[in-house]
Amino acid sequence: MPVFTVLNPATEEPVAEVEQTSAADADAAIARAVAAQAAWRKVAPGERAALLRAFADVVGAHIGELAELETVGSGHPAGQARWEAGNVRDVLRYYSAAPERLCGKQIPVPGGLDVTFHEPVGVVGVIVPWNFPMPILGWGVAPALAAGNPVIAKPAERTPLTAVRIGELALEAGLPEGVFQVLPGKGSVVGQRLIGHPDVRKIVFTGSSEVGREIMAGCARQVKRVTMELGGKSANIVFADADLAKAAATAPVAAFDNAGQDCCARSRILVQREVYQRFLELLEPAVKAVTVGDPAREGTEMGPLISAEHRAKVASYVPAGAPVAFRGSAPEGPGYWFPPTVLAPVRLDDPAYTEEVFGPVVAVVPFEDEAQAVAMANDTPYGLSGSVWTGDVGRAIRVARAVETGNLSVNSHSSVRYWTPFGGFKQSGLGRELGPDALDAFTETKNVFIATDE
Ligand code: TAP
């Protein structure tokens, strides 16, 4: 059986060898999920809720261990990795409240009673990227299980360690065999099997827009349900009347969190021309203050990129002669390091401005007025996230409504909250995860009419 060697991105040293799931093994896992399905959907709502709470508790008892695995296997700073493991616990706990609340409707009709049921959709495949291996796994898995579906998760080939461990913890918590399985391996093998197998009824995919389009096309052959969470190129719009000091102080975390390997990265900063220079002056010390280094050390804010290949891709957006305004620091020696990098002024056709870099590179460009800011923010195939900084509440609301994006923060760079909906406009995705309505994506509405006529 082929194995994948997980490397520590901060040291380039091997961390673990993980057996790759073959297509035949994926088929066997799908058969186990199908076998588990009938019993899982019959588990009483209160019992299913209790099992999810037990799963959350077991994850909660292993936050430290999971975080350490993510730090060595994915290079995430220790504090961030603990937050990510805690997010899995919290999402499981949030959706553990769902089974008893999965209510249908009673609709008035003549001659009988009309009721709707939210039936489980069937076996769900969750395909996860390498940038946030734990949270993105939890966002798909928790509501799918709560709705009564067996789930098969495929972590990214490079970052399987925490997902595999969370799969073990599910069994420890008492989830029945076959209800939640984790299949490490390649997208081209395991991912494709989940997409092509008729017994998998729904795919939740998070990853690049390019692969997402291919997966949608594959799912279309069986009219398979899909939720797509794809790329982003979000704008951070700073108006002249904003609290400039706060906007500049917080811009680095919005662009460089997870070393910029974040679909929500505000990687384009649009600044009103009259405060453009002042904003750059305030941004420079904030960027230079970002602590880049050993992710295992407490207090580190930014770790390495995921791999040598990815670092080469990120570096290609900053070629010799690129308009680098200033940069933060990065360690020398082994590890896939790349310093926080600010490009300004940038041509509007520069790939660093138009494409998702997925690294710590941000472009700062000026705009004249509100209409131009909105037009520039929307001039992208993506629409996932963004921020607006202004002291004018009317403008904040106008711009927040006008920017074509699924998640927007005013005078903040709020991250994703598990109890509010999350997803993209345009080519950033299809459907919504998280929040109170997430179970809709994992159920089919069934309408039943019962005649009462004599
Ligand atoms: P991708 O290369 O698209 O891979 C994502 C997942 O899909 C991996 O598990 C991958 O497996 C699998 N995969 C790749 N090709 C496949 C195929 N042909 N069939 C089935 N599965 C396949 O993305 P990535 O580089 O890991 O992640 C970065 C991207 O994800 C960025 O564009 C980022 O914006 C996006 N992202 C979006 C969000 C949201 S919520 N919108 C959140 C995080 C990330 P392998 O391991 O074999 O590659």
Side-chain angles (χ1 to χ4, degrees), residues 7 40 53 88 109 123 128 133 152 168 183 201 227 274 276 327 330 382 387 427 429:
L7 298 180
W40 182 238
R53 277 197 293 278
V88 177
V109 293
V123 177
V128 181
I152 299 177
E168 292 165 359
L183 307 184
R201 296 289 164 78
T227 298
E274 54 259 49
Y276 181 74
R327 302 184 102 154
Y382 296 113
S387 300
Q427 294 188 31

PDB file of all heavy atoms in Angstrom, residues 7 40 53 88 109 123 128 133 152 168 183 201 227 274 276 327 330 382 387 427 429:
ATOM      1  N   LEU A   7       5.606  15.972   5.938  1.00  0.00           N
ATOM      2  CA  LEU A   7       6.792  16.726   6.352  1.00  0.00           C
ATOM      3  C   LEU A   7       6.372  17.888   7.243  1.00  0.00           C
ATOM      4  O   LEU A   7       5.310  18.482   7.037  1.00  0.00           O
ATOM      5  CB  LEU A   7       7.518  17.296   5.126  1.00  0.00           C
ATOM      6  CG  LEU A   7       8.062  16.297   4.107  1.00  0.00           C
ATOM      7  CD1 LEU A   7       8.744  17.039   2.959  1.00  0.00           C
ATOM      8  CD2 LEU A   7       9.035  15.311   4.746  1.00  0.00           C
ATOM      9  N   TRP A  40     -28.280   4.424  11.607  1.00  0.00           N
ATOM     10  CA  TRP A  40     -27.948   5.797  12.047  1.00  0.00           C
ATOM     11  C   TRP A  40     -29.158   6.714  11.920  1.00  0.00           C
ATOM     12  O   TRP A  40     -29.433   7.527  12.787  1.00  0.00           O
ATOM     13  CB  TRP A  40     -26.749   6.318  11.265  1.00  0.00           C
ATOM     14  CG  TRP A  40     -26.276   7.689  11.661  1.00  0.00           C
ATOM     15  CD1 TRP A  40     -26.183   8.775  10.855  1.00  0.00           C
ATOM     16  CD2 TRP A  40     -25.817   8.119  12.952  1.00  0.00           C
ATOM     17  NE1 TRP A  40     -25.696   9.855  11.547  1.00  0.00           N
ATOM     18  CE2 TRP A  40     -25.467   9.483  12.850  1.00  0.00           C
ATOM     19  CE3 TRP A  40     -25.687   7.487  14.192  1.00  0.00           C
ATOM     20  CZ2 TRP A  40     -24.988  10.219  13.931  1.00  0.00           C
ATOM     21  CZ3 TRP A  40     -25.205   8.228  15.269  1.00  0.00           C
ATOM     22  CH2 TRP A  40     -24.863   9.576  15.129  1.00  0.00           C
ATOM     23  N   ARG A  53     -22.620  15.187  21.292  1.00  0.00           N
ATOM     24  CA  ARG A  53     -22.041  15.894  22.453  1.00  0.00           C
ATOM     25  C   ARG A  53     -20.860  15.106  23.014  1.00  0.00           C
ATOM     26  O   ARG A  53     -19.836  15.680  23.383  1.00  0.00           O
ATOM     27  CB  ARG A  53     -23.104  16.100  23.537  1.00  0.00           C
ATOM     28  CG  ARG A  53     -23.985  17.321  23.293  1.00  0.00           C
ATOM     29  CD  ARG A  53     -24.732  17.733  24.544  1.00  0.00           C
ATOM     30  NE  ARG A  53     -25.712  16.744  24.950  1.00  0.00           N
ATOM     31  CZ  ARG A  53     -26.943  16.632  24.419  1.00  0.00           C
ATOM     32  NH1 ARG A  53     -27.342  17.470  23.478  1.00  0.00           N
ATOM     33  NH2 ARG A  53     -27.778  15.697  24.825  1.00  0.00           N
ATOM     34  N   VAL A  88     -13.506  22.608  16.174  1.00  0.00           N
ATOM     35  CA  VAL A  88     -14.142  21.314  15.869  1.00  0.00           C
ATOM     36  C   VAL A  88     -15.071  20.924  17.020  1.00  0.00           C
ATOM     37  O   VAL A  88     -16.225  20.540  16.814  1.00  0.00           O
ATOM     38  CB  VAL A  88     -13.084  20.203  15.642  1.00  0.00           C
ATOM     39  CG1 VAL A  88     -13.764  18.860  15.402  1.00  0.00           C
ATOM     40  CG2 VAL A  88     -12.175  20.560  14.476  1.00  0.00           C
ATOM     41  N   VAL A 109     -53.962  22.368   3.694  1.00  0.00           N
ATOM     42  CA  VAL A 109     -54.448  21.944   2.373  1.00  0.00           C
ATOM     43  C   VAL A 109     -55.870  21.404   2.552  1.00  0.00           C
ATOM     44  O   VAL A 109     -56.211  20.948   3.655  1.00  0.00           O
ATOM     45  CB  VAL A 109     -53.558  20.837   1.760  1.00  0.00           C
ATOM     46  CG1 VAL A 109     -52.175  21.355   1.418  1.00  0.00           C
ATOM     47  CG2 VAL A 109     -53.453  19.629   2.693  1.00  0.00           C
ATOM     48  N   VAL A 123     -25.258   8.991   2.110  1.00  0.00           N
ATOM     49  CA  VAL A 123     -23.819   9.058   2.431  1.00  0.00           C
ATOM     50  C   VAL A 123     -23.243  10.380   1.911  1.00  0.00           C
ATOM     51  O   VAL A 123     -23.464  10.747   0.749  1.00  0.00           O
ATOM     52  CB  VAL A 123     -23.064   7.867   1.809  1.00  0.00           C
ATOM     53  CG1 VAL A 123     -21.555   7.981   2.077  1.00  0.00           C
ATOM     54  CG2 VAL A 123     -23.615   6.551   2.342  1.00  0.00           C
ATOM     55  N   VAL A 128     -11.579  17.846   1.896  1.00  0.00           N
ATOM     56  CA  VAL A 128     -11.026  18.932   2.713  1.00  0.00           C
ATOM     57  C   VAL A 128      -9.687  19.394   2.123  1.00  0.00           C
ATOM     58  O   VAL A 128      -8.885  18.561   1.691  1.00  0.00           O
ATOM     59  CB  VAL A 128     -10.823  18.407   4.164  1.00  0.00           C
ATOM     60  CG1 VAL A 128     -10.274  19.480   5.076  1.00  0.00           C
ATOM     61  CG2 VAL A 128     -12.137  17.853   4.722  1.00  0.00           C
ATOM     62  N   PRO A 133      -7.131  22.122   8.020  1.00  0.00           N
ATOM     63  CA  PRO A 133      -7.571  20.714   8.015  1.00  0.00           C
ATOM     64  C   PRO A 133      -8.640  20.403   9.062  1.00  0.00           C
ATOM     65  O   PRO A 133      -9.549  19.621   8.787  1.00  0.00           O
ATOM     66  CB  PRO A 133      -6.282  19.935   8.320  1.00  0.00           C
ATOM     67  CG  PRO A 133      -5.179  20.855   7.898  1.00  0.00           C
ATOM     68  CD  PRO A 133      -5.665  22.242   8.165  1.00  0.00           C
ATOM     69  N   ILE A 152     -18.112  10.288   5.036  1.00  0.00           N
ATOM     70  CA  ILE A 152     -16.743   9.858   4.718  1.00  0.00           C
ATOM     71  C   ILE A 152     -15.952  11.123   4.418  1.00  0.00           C
ATOM     72  O   ILE A 152     -16.327  11.903   3.534  1.00  0.00           O
ATOM     73  CB  ILE A 152     -16.709   8.930   3.491  1.00  0.00           C
ATOM     74  CG1 ILE A 152     -17.527   7.663   3.787  1.00  0.00           C
ATOM     75  CG2 ILE A 152     -15.269   8.580   3.123  1.00  0.00           C
ATOM     76  CD1 ILE A 152     -17.630   6.713   2.617  1.00  0.00           C
ATOM     77  N   GLU A 168     -10.607   8.588  14.837  1.00  0.00           N
ATOM     78  CA  GLU A 168     -10.441   7.641  15.960  1.00  0.00           C
ATOM     79  C   GLU A 168     -11.232   8.123  17.180  1.00  0.00           C
ATOM     80  O   GLU A 168     -11.858   7.329  17.884  1.00  0.00           O
ATOM     81  CB  GLU A 168      -8.957   7.518  16.334  1.00  0.00           C
ATOM     82  CG  GLU A 168      -8.118   6.843  15.260  1.00  0.00           C
ATOM     83  CD  GLU A 168      -6.602   7.039  15.473  1.00  0.00           C
ATOM     84  OE1 GLU A 168      -6.197   7.716  16.453  1.00  0.00           O
ATOM     85  OE2 GLU A 168      -5.840   6.537  14.638  1.00  0.00           O
ATOM     86  N   LEU A 183     -10.671   8.831   5.207  1.00  0.00           N
ATOM     87  CA  LEU A 183      -9.866   8.113   4.221  1.00  0.00           C
ATOM     88  C   LEU A 183      -8.744   9.012   3.706  1.00  0.00           C
ATOM     89  O   LEU A 183      -8.944   9.825   2.791  1.00  0.00           O
ATOM     90  CB  LEU A 183     -10.734   7.690   3.030  1.00  0.00           C
ATOM     91  CG  LEU A 183     -12.019   6.902   3.321  1.00  0.00           C
ATOM     92  CD1 LEU A 183     -12.679   6.493   2.012  1.00  0.00           C
ATOM     93  CD2 LEU A 183     -11.725   5.670   4.170  1.00  0.00           C
ATOM     94  N   ARG A 201     -24.219  10.382  -1.933  1.00  0.00           N
ATOM     95  CA  ARG A 201     -25.315  11.224  -2.438  1.00  0.00           C
ATOM     96  C   ARG A 201     -25.022  12.707  -2.386  1.00  0.00           C
ATOM     97  O   ARG A 201     -25.781  13.503  -2.923  1.00  0.00           O
ATOM     98  CB  ARG A 201     -26.581  10.926  -1.628  1.00  0.00           C
ATOM     99  CG  ARG A 201     -27.082   9.506  -1.785  1.00  0.00           C
ATOM    100  CD  ARG A 201     -27.664   9.296  -3.194  1.00  0.00           C
ATOM    101  NE  ARG A 201     -27.801   7.884  -3.520  1.00  0.00           N
ATOM    102  CZ  ARG A 201     -28.782   7.100  -3.078  1.00  0.00           C
ATOM    103  NH1 ARG A 201     -29.706   7.585  -2.306  1.00  0.00           N
ATOM    104  NH2 ARG A 201     -28.826   5.847  -3.436  1.00  0.00           N
ATOM    105  N   THR A 227     -21.979  21.054  -2.119  1.00  0.00           N
ATOM    106  CA  THR A 227     -21.711  22.342  -1.507  1.00  0.00           C
ATOM    107  C   THR A 227     -20.271  22.648  -1.878  1.00  0.00           C
ATOM    108  O   THR A 227     -19.403  21.785  -1.730  1.00  0.00           O
ATOM    109  CB  THR A 227     -21.862  22.294   0.026  1.00  0.00           C
ATOM    110  OG1 THR A 227     -23.214  21.959   0.355  1.00  0.00           O
ATOM    111  CG2 THR A 227     -21.536  23.645   0.657  1.00  0.00           C
ATOM    112  N   GLU A 274      -6.839  60.102  -0.758  1.00  0.00           N
ATOM    113  CA  GLU A 274      -6.299  61.159   0.114  1.00  0.00           C
ATOM    114  C   GLU A 274      -5.602  60.620   1.365  1.00  0.00           C
ATOM    115  O   GLU A 274      -4.839  61.353   1.999  1.00  0.00           O
ATOM    116  CB  GLU A 274      -7.360  62.204   0.493  1.00  0.00           C
ATOM    117  CG  GLU A 274      -8.630  61.660   1.109  1.00  0.00           C
ATOM    118  CD  GLU A 274      -9.779  61.571   0.114  1.00  0.00           C
ATOM    119  OE1 GLU A 274      -9.576  61.027  -0.987  1.00  0.00           O
ATOM    120  OE2 GLU A 274     -10.884  62.033   0.445  1.00  0.00           O
ATOM    121  N   TYR A 276      -4.025  57.457   1.242  1.00  0.00           N
ATOM    122  CA  TYR A 276      -3.243  56.294   0.759  1.00  0.00           C
ATOM    123  C   TYR A 276      -1.831  56.274   1.367  1.00  0.00           C
ATOM    124  O   TYR A 276      -1.412  55.266   1.956  1.00  0.00           O
ATOM    125  CB  TYR A 276      -3.192  56.342  -0.771  1.00  0.00           C
ATOM    126  CG  TYR A 276      -2.448  55.203  -1.426  1.00  0.00           C
ATOM    127  CD1 TYR A 276      -3.009  53.933  -1.493  1.00  0.00           C
ATOM    128  CD2 TYR A 276      -1.195  55.403  -1.988  1.00  0.00           C
ATOM    129  CE1 TYR A 276      -2.336  52.887  -2.110  1.00  0.00           C
ATOM    130  CE2 TYR A 276      -0.519  54.362  -2.606  1.00  0.00           C
ATOM    131  CZ  TYR A 276      -1.099  53.108  -2.663  1.00  0.00           C
ATOM    132  OH  TYR A 276      -0.423  52.075  -3.264  1.00  0.00           O
ATOM    133  N   ARG A 327       8.499  44.714   3.561  1.00  0.00           N
ATOM    134  CA  ARG A 327       8.266  43.314   3.930  1.00  0.00           C
ATOM    135  C   ARG A 327       8.507  43.120   5.416  1.00  0.00           C
ATOM    136  O   ARG A 327       9.269  43.875   6.029  1.00  0.00           O
ATOM    137  CB  ARG A 327       9.245  42.376   3.206  1.00  0.00           C
ATOM    138  CG  ARG A 327       9.197  42.457   1.729  1.00  0.00           C
ATOM    139  CD  ARG A 327      10.116  41.429   1.100  1.00  0.00           C
ATOM    140  NE  ARG A 327       9.333  40.311   0.622  1.00  0.00           N
ATOM    141  CZ  ARG A 327       9.696  39.506  -0.373  1.00  0.00           C
ATOM    142  NH1 ARG A 327      10.871  39.662  -0.962  1.00  0.00           N
ATOM    143  NH2 ARG A 327       8.931  38.523  -0.754  1.00  0.00           N
ATOM    144  N   ALA A 330      11.323  36.759   7.964  1.00  0.00           N
ATOM    145  CA  ALA A 330      11.108  35.310   7.880  1.00  0.00           C
ATOM    146  C   ALA A 330      12.419  34.642   8.269  1.00  0.00           C
ATOM    147  O   ALA A 330      13.488  35.173   7.951  1.00  0.00           O
ATOM    148  CB  ALA A 330      10.703  34.909   6.473  1.00  0.00           C
ATOM    149  N   TYR A 382     -14.237  36.177  -7.955  1.00  0.00           N
ATOM    150  CA  TYR A 382     -14.490  35.643  -6.612  1.00  0.00           C
ATOM    151  C   TYR A 382     -15.460  36.525  -5.831  1.00  0.00           C
ATOM    152  O   TYR A 382     -15.697  37.672  -6.196  1.00  0.00           O
ATOM    153  CB  TYR A 382     -13.180  35.573  -5.830  1.00  0.00           C
ATOM    154  CG  TYR A 382     -12.164  34.619  -6.404  1.00  0.00           C
ATOM    155  CD1 TYR A 382     -10.970  35.088  -6.952  1.00  0.00           C
ATOM    156  CD2 TYR A 382     -12.393  33.253  -6.403  1.00  0.00           C
ATOM    157  CE1 TYR A 382     -10.023  34.214  -7.469  1.00  0.00           C
ATOM    158  CE2 TYR A 382     -11.457  32.375  -6.915  1.00  0.00           C
ATOM    159  CZ  TYR A 382     -10.279  32.851  -7.446  1.00  0.00           C
ATOM    160  OH  TYR A 382      -9.348  31.986  -7.949  1.00  0.00           O
ATOM    161  N   SER A 387     -13.853  43.431   3.900  1.00  0.00           N
ATOM    162  CA  SER A 387     -14.035  44.356   5.018  1.00  0.00           C
ATOM    163  C   SER A 387     -14.231  45.763   4.480  1.00  0.00           C
ATOM    164  O   SER A 387     -13.729  46.094   3.406  1.00  0.00           O
ATOM    165  CB  SER A 387     -12.797  44.355   5.925  1.00  0.00           C
ATOM    166  OG  SER A 387     -12.564  43.067   6.437  1.00  0.00           O
ATOM    167  N   GLN A 427     -17.675  32.789  -8.215  1.00  0.00           N
ATOM    168  CA  GLN A 427     -16.880  31.552  -8.295  1.00  0.00           C
ATOM    169  C   GLN A 427     -16.207  31.196  -6.967  1.00  0.00           C
ATOM    170  O   GLN A 427     -15.319  30.346  -6.929  1.00  0.00           O
ATOM    171  CB  GLN A 427     -15.857  31.665  -9.424  1.00  0.00           C
ATOM    172  CG  GLN A 427     -16.546  31.728 -10.776  1.00  0.00           C
ATOM    173  CD  GLN A 427     -15.601  31.653 -11.947  1.00  0.00           C
ATOM    174  OE1 GLN A 427     -14.548  31.031 -11.891  1.00  0.00           O
ATOM    175  NE2 GLN A 427     -15.976  32.299 -13.041  1.00  0.00           N
ATOM    176  N   GLY A 429     -18.026  29.907  -4.595  1.00  0.00           N
ATOM    177  CA  GLY A 429     -18.716  28.762  -4.028  1.00  0.00           C
ATOM    178  C   GLY A 429     -20.172  28.657  -4.389  1.00  0.00           C
ATOM    179  O   GLY A 429     -20.707  29.448  -5.172  1.00  0.00           O
TER     180      GLY A 429
END
